[in-house]
Amino acid sequence: MEDRITLDYGSGGLKTSQFIDSILIPAFQNPILSELGDGAVLDGHNKLIFSTDSFVVSPWRFPGGDIGKLCVCGTVNDLCMAGGIPKYLSLSFILEEGFLFSDLKQIVSSIKKETQTSGVTIVTGDTKVVESGKGDGIYINTSGIGFQHLSLPGKSGIRPNDSVLVSGSVGCHGAAIMMARAGLLQEESPLVSDCQSLHLFLDAIQNAAAPGSIRILRDPTRGGIATTLNEFIEGTSLSIELSSDNIPIDSSVEAACDILGLDPLYCACEGRMLVICDPKSTDSILSAMRMVPGGENSTQIGTVTSDFPGKVLLRTSIGGKRILSKLSGMQLPRIC
């Protein structure tokens, strides 16, 4: 094989077969994928959860991960946030002519490692190649199927006095991507993406929470926690009040946001979970999340109220209140 992708590898002919046989099959070997059909026949369940996502992150390699790890975590987490046990993934590449095979192999290795960590199986996929200058190296689409594990009422189940929890420090992914893109990250910098799969968090809170006490789950990706919380109460008579003193933000994220002119509350997370739950289950859910690697800083950051319908408010350290609206523009393009 050559060092770089050529248009021949997207032709569906011999070189496509070589690419599949030499890179993809060895990485993701399983009986379902080995059939190499246009689709996969899978064991079913009475309630399936399905999700799809495309990944165009720039740069494709970043502190704490790469587009390969991200494409698995992103779809796995979407399934988990819908209360599903992730089971199967599809994997589709759009490659630009000239992309290095050595880079592609690194990405495939990251995908393999994260699927093993998450317990998911890649069962079908596709590859297309576009001409040089008509892409940006590599884009990836993953779709996922999971089995329902936890039934969630969603935003309709949210009640006044419910607790708002987060599973760790916020804004790490968005800040890391933007600093890497700007070429401002030093090798010794502690700033890394929080990219990780959340399947263990789902297991932990399912076992810790009283039945019916978890209202809604979400991973706050584009738009960060501020936008996600606005989505929770949009069109309702409820409001959410946050305490700035309780929101965990790493000092490296604060420093990066100061340099870039960003607000960490609007910066993407790719390995954090927002939970709204019955206040009676708050302590047990937090204790469970803190036992999961990456969840040591899980905390309650706010409370659902009905004081300011449709608003998310941030109570500052000096006692004032600031309205957090949904992100109105593209603060952080190409972060996932």
Side-chain angles (χ1 to χ4, degrees), residues 21-41:
D21 292 341
S22 64
I23 295 180
L24 300 183
I25 293 296
F28 310 122
Q29 180 71 46
N30 66 77
I32 300 171
L33 183 63
S34 296
E35 293 292 328
L36 295 179
D38 287 340
V41 178

Side-chain angles (χ1 to χ4, degrees), residues 212-225:
S213 63
I214 300 174
R215 318 300 195 201
I216 192 169
L217 305 174
R218 191 73 58 84
D219 57 330
T221 52
R222 287 172 292 179
I225 67 167

Side-chain angles (χ1 to χ4, degrees), residues 147-303:
F147 297 158
Q148 189 178 56
H149 184 53
L150 177 63
S151 180
L152 300 167
K155 61 189 293 184
S156 63
I158 301 173
R159 300 288 182 265
N161 299 316
D162 279 351
S163 299
V164 182
L165 317 180
V166 70
S167 64
S169 56
V170 304
C172 302
H173 180 74
I177 292 292
M178 294 303 288
M179 288 291 282
R181 189 178 300 168
L184 297 174
L185 274 181
Q186 304 297 321
E187 277 192 28
E188 66 277 7
S189 172
L191 179 59
V192 297
S193 169
D194 54 27
C195 184
Q196 73 173 111
S197 294
L198 296 170
H199 60 296
L200 296 180
F201 285 91
L202 181 65
D203 286 342
I205 66 172
Q206 158 80 355
N207 294 327
S213 63
I214 300 174
R215 318 300 195 201
I216 192 169
L217 305 174
R218 191 73 58 84
D219 57 330
T221 52
R222 287 172 292 179
I225 67 167
T227 296
T228 302
L229 292 174
N230 269 281
E231 291 171 351
F232 286 169
I233 58 168
E234 209 168 35
T236 75
S237 59
L238 300 172
S239 54
I240 290 176
E241 185 169 320
L242 306 175
S243 170
S244 62
D245 292 337
N246 292 343
I247 300 174
I249 303 174
D250 292 342
S251 58
S252 58
V253 173
E254 290 185 322
C257 287
D258 285 344
I259 292 171
L260 297 167
L262 303 175
D263 185 335
L265 301 184
Y266 290 92
C267 288
C269 306
E270 286 289 350
R272 300 289 184 250
M273 177 169 64
L274 284 169
V275 183
I276 295 189
C277 66
D278 187 309
K280 294 178 182 177
S281 290
T282 298
D283 291 341
S284 59
I285 291 174
L286 286 175
S287 295
M289 289 199 296
R290 288 168 184 160
M291 296 296 291
V292 179
E296 297 83 1
N297 293 322
S298 299
T299 189
Q300 180 176 353
I301 60 173
T303 303

